[in-house]
């Protein structure tokens, strides 16, 4: 089997997952978009959080051309992608009790705001406690996770619960446990993970739904333009000035 054949199989697997999410999660994606639109219209704040590779789809909607200017990244030091050495420390920090509460307490997030939490497995202490603590202080929580982990793995949180158990809306990425789409004789481990592709698409679909919802209410979505097109910087400057009290990545 040639390498190009494997590459094609990965694309097929990713497309199949995207089609499943589109067809099976469309109602909940619309609901998530409406929750975000509610917050924008009401003057509340928007945040996204993910640890490890789950931070990538969260970062993808922050300060993004064509995206909502109000999306802020809620960073937990040491868990943003692979920003620490050794990289395994980031995985260990996801299992630390109490870290999520400390981060939320020192953040600008509060009652009426929205937090999107991305965690493929949803089983570690950090995303579970982030959701629990966020709801306790009045945030709406949207979880993006693979629901399969809740039936095929054990929670690592003392409560025995998963991220999906502490969300107002759950968006199921449909990713299989282990996050690897391909196998091949002669290769001991499955390979070719698709979670970042699918989860990033879910996040952008939610943002699109929110923009459409805002327009339907007669509210212009606070969108950013590309800085690589004429007038983009000026446009973004105006948007950031107008919504400066709800944008934290510019400070």
């Amino acid at each position: 089997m040639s390498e190009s054949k494997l590459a094609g199989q990965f694309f097929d697997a990713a497309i199949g997952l995207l089609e499943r999410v589109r067809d099976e999660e469309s109602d909940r994606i619309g609901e998530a978009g409406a929750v975000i639109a509610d917050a924008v219209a009401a003057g509340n704040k928007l945040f996204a959080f993910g640890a490890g590779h789950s931070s990538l789809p969260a970062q993808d909607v922050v300060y993004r051309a064509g995206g909502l200017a109000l999306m802020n990244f809620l960073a937990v030091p040491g868990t943003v992608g692979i920003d620490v050495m050794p990289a395994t420390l980031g995985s260990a920090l996801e299992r630390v009790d109490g870290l999520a509460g400390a981060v939320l307490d020192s953040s600008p997030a509060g009652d009426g705001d929205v937090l999107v939490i991305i965690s493929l497995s949803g089983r570690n202490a950090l995303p579970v406690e982030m959701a629990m603590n966020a709801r306790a202080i009045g945030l709406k929580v949207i979880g993006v996770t693979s629901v399969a982990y809740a039936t095929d793995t054990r929670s690592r949180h003392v409560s025995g619960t998963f991220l999906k158990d502490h969300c107002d809306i759950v968006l199921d990425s449909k990713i299989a446990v282990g996050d690897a789409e391909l196998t091949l004789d002669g290769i001991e481990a499955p390979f070719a993970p698709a979670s970042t592709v699918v989860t990033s698409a879910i996040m952008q679909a939610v943002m699109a739904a929110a923009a459409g919802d805002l327009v339907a209410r007669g509210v212009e979505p606070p969108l950013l333009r590309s800085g690589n097109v004429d007038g983009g910087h000026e446009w973004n400057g105006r948007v950031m000035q107008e919504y400066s009290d709800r944008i934290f990545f510019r400070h």
Side-chain angles (χ1 to χ4, degrees):
M1 183 178 295
S2 68
E3 292 178 3
S4 60
K5 182 75 173 288
L6 287 171
Q9 287 184 353
F10 174 75
F11 279 115
D12 289 342
I15 290 167
L17 285 164
L18 289 169
E19 289 177 339
R20 280 193 65 197
V21 171
R22 178 197 62 197
D23 296 341
E24 299 173 19
E25 299 296 306
S26 60
D27 288 347
R28 283 177 288 276
I29 288 172
E31 292 170 9
V35 165
I36 288 174
D38 286 342
V40 172
N44 295 117
K45 301 179 288 294
L46 305 175
F47 300 90
F49 164 75
H53 286 92
S54 289
S55 73
L56 301 178
Q59 294 179 64
D60 193 47
V61 294
V62 177
Y63 188 49
R64 183 63 191 261
L68 289 173
L70 305 189
M71 287 301 304
N72 298 281
F73 184 64
L74 186 64
V76 176
T79 71
V80 182
I82 50 172
D83 65 331
V84 293
M85 294 293 287
T88 50
L89 176 59
S91 297
L93 289 172
E94 291 185 56
R95 304 172 193 176
V96 174
D97 295 331
L99 186 55
V103 169
L104 277 172
D105 288 346
S106 61
S107 80
D111 187 36
D113 296 339
V114 175
L115 173 59
V116 183
I117 301 176
I118 303 167
S119 174
L120 176 61
S121 71
R123 69 193 294 235
N124 289 311
L126 187 53
V128 172
E129 291 187 356
M130 189 69 77
M132 294 172 70
N133 282 276
R135 293 180 86 185
I137 62 174
L139 275 76
K140 289 281 189 180
V141 175
I142 299 167
V144 183
T145 187
S146 171
V147 173
Y149 277 83
T151 56
D152 295 342
T153 69
R154 293 182 180 179
S155 170
R156 288 183 173 138
H157 188 251
V158 64
S159 68
T161 60
F162 288 76
L163 169 61
K164 74 174 187 65
D165 300 315
H166 305 284
C167 299
D168 296 284
I169 299 171
V170 176
L171 305 178
D172 185 3
S173 65
K174 316 295 182 182
I175 300 295
V177 172
D179 190 19
E181 295 301 316
L182 302 181
T183 58
L184 183 68
D185 289 343
I187 299 179
E188 291 294 326
F191 56 100
S195 60
T196 304
V197 173
V198 175
T199 306
S200 294
I202 290 173
M203 293 297 291
Q204 294 298 345
V206 170
M207 298 302 110
D213 198 302
L214 285 165
V215 169
R217 304 178 192 206
V219 178
E220 182 178 356
L223 297 171
L224 295 173
R225 289 179 180 265
S226 171
N228 295 313
V229 300
D230 292 343
H233 286 298
E234 293 77 12
W235 171 282
N236 292 342
R238 289 193 298 271
V239 172
M240 289 187 183
Q241 180 62 36
E242 181 177 354
Y243 294 95
S244 60
D245 59 329
R246 292 190 270 170
I247 297 174
F248 304 102
F249 54 77
R250 64 192 295 272
H251 296 162

